[in-house]
Amino acid sequence: MDLRQMQYVVALADERQFTRAAALSGVSQSGLSAAIRTLEDELGTALFERSPRSVQPTDAGQALLPFARSMIAQATAARDAVVQATHRLSGTLRVGSEQCLGVVDVSTLLERFHRRFPQVEVHFEQAGSHDLVGRVRDGELDLAFVATTEHLGVLAATELGREPLVLLVPPDHPLAGRAAVDWSDLPASPFIDFVASWGVRPLTDAACAARGVHRRVRFSVGDVHALLDLVNRGLGTAIVPRHVAAKPEAARLSVLAMPADAPQWVVSVVTSAGSSPAPHLLELLELDPAGQPGSVETANVRRNGNGVP
């Protein structure tokens, strides 16, 4: 058993599907599947039960998980110790992020950075993506994790991942139980949405306007959990990135696919020039939140501005 196999086991156990686990691990789905089967052959037992809808760890898989997580944590701590011993980075790093981006765990990333570079003073703030882009452009932040591709100008932007949008409706809503929604269905219900500075709001507004769809947004919020609470109370429907629909607070809601021509929700990190500590934080994006290589879908990484592919 090697570290890479343990990383794949943990990713698959956490995500319960090969597609997402492979994306988080920076490997093809077939590569992940082959690696898991090789490990199962080596151990002489199945580690996961596969079905068309999900993947579940077997008893043997559950028994292996604590050791796999421990092995990954020890490898991460070892790398961090070496970096800390050989790099004496100091200064200030100013970071911003929109809430609940899904494709990147900003808190864990900052924890790892602090552990590696304890002499760097880290400042962090949470805000809407459009506000954060402006603050990076004005030099008030060194980098920000955002869910927008608009108004970036010359800022360097690295795409970290993208997801489809979905519609959340209360369980007693007329659309509940349907697999998908049409654009013509949207005006029938009041909406709960995020404030205009959040990345998904102007994305949805522009998509609806382009198709002549007039939405009635009754509630505007600046918090994911407040949005889910209002939908659960039957006060409206909401268009959200797919990972929001997987939160426990959304368990009783119906999730409908948006039309095929709906835009995708894109998460990027945008950076300003001249920040010394910022590149060291970006280097950690090549590791997943547990310290595993390849958390970013390298095949989907794109840059604009003064970045390079």
Side-chain angles (χ1 to χ4, degrees):
M1 291 183 289
D2 60 29
L3 179 61
R4 174 64 76 174
Q5 288 174 321
M6 297 301 97
Q7 293 163 353
Y8 292 164
V9 166
V10 169
L12 188 56
D14 288 346
E15 298 301 325
R16 305 297 173 100
Q17 57 158 300
F18 279 93
T19 302
R20 179 66 174 163
L24 289 175
S25 300
V27 67
S28 67
Q29 184 172 332
S30 60
L32 179 86
S33 179
I36 294 293
R37 290 194 181 278
T38 297
L39 180 59
E40 290 176 325
D41 291 342
E42 179 183 336
L43 295 175
T45 187
L47 299 175
F48 294 93
E49 294 179 356
R50 287 91 161 162
S51 74
R53 296 183 61 86
S54 68
V55 179
Q56 301 290 334
T58 62
D59 290 344
Q62 290 286 7
L64 178 62
L65 272 175
F67 297 96
R69 295 187 192 278
S70 176
M71 186 173 176
I72 293 167
Q74 289 180 18
T76 299
R79 281 193 293 266
D80 290 344
V82 170
V83 171
Q84 185 176 346
T86 55
H87 294 77
R88 290 288 182 255
L89 189 67
S90 61
T92 301
L93 179 64
R94 302 161 301 170
V95 181
S97 178
E98 189 171 289
Q99 182 193 28
C100 295
L101 292 176
V103 302
V104 58
D105 186 340
V106 178
S107 297
T108 300
L109 189 65
L110 292 178
E111 178 193 7
R112 288 216 57 204
F113 181 85
H114 176 68
R115 191 163 62 234
R116 284 193 170 201
F117 306 109
Q119 297 182 51
V120 176
E121 185 175 290
V122 179
H123 296 263
F124 174 77
E125 63 180 77
Q126 197 173 75
S129 290
H130 291 265
D131 289 343
L132 292 170
V133 167
R135 299 205 63 190
V136 174
R137 186 187 303 109
D138 294 341
E140 298 173 4
L141 292 174
D142 298 309
L143 61 86
F145 297 93
V146 300
T148 181
T149 57
E150 297 181 346
H151 312 303
L152 300 185
V154 298
L155 294 178
T158 301
E159 182 181 318
L160 304 181
R162 55 177 59 204
E163 292 181 2
L165 299 176
V166 297
L167 179 71
L168 295 179
V169 304
D172 58 350
H173 191 275
L175 294 175
R178 284 178 48 175
V181 65
D182 296 321
W183 292 108
S184 59
D185 295 321
L186 298 185
S189 302
F191 271 82
I192 300 157
D193 210 332
F194 297 105
V195 294
S197 64
W198 279 54
V200 71
R201 177 64 181 271
L203 183 69
T204 303
D205 284 347
C208 289
R211 294 159 180 82
V213 175
H214 175 67
R215 291 192 308 151
R216 295 173 292 148
V217 179
R218 297 283 180 80
F219 298 85
S220 294
V221 300
D223 178 82
V224 170
H225 300 98
L227 178 140
L228 293 175
D229 183 45
L230 291 170
V231 179
N232 270 302
R233 294 176 185 275
L235 295 173
T237 61
I239 296 174
V240 299
R242 184 174 57 190
H243 77 274
V244 173
K247 287 183 172 293
E249 296 87 347
R252 64 186 295 268
L253 303 177
S254 286
V255 182
L256 287 72
M258 291 289 290
D261 62 339
Q264 288 193 313
W265 183 80
V266 179
V267 175
S268 303
V269 56
V270 295
T271 57
S272 63
S275 171
S276 175
H280 296 276
L281 180 68
L282 296 178
E283 287 174 2
L284 293 180
L285 287 172
E286 298 177 1
L287 306 170
D288 77 11
Q292 304 172 29
S295 67
V296 178
E297 290 185 61
T298 53
N300 288 336
V301 171
R302 302 174 176 86
R303 290 184 183 269
N304 74 297
N306 57 10
V308 293

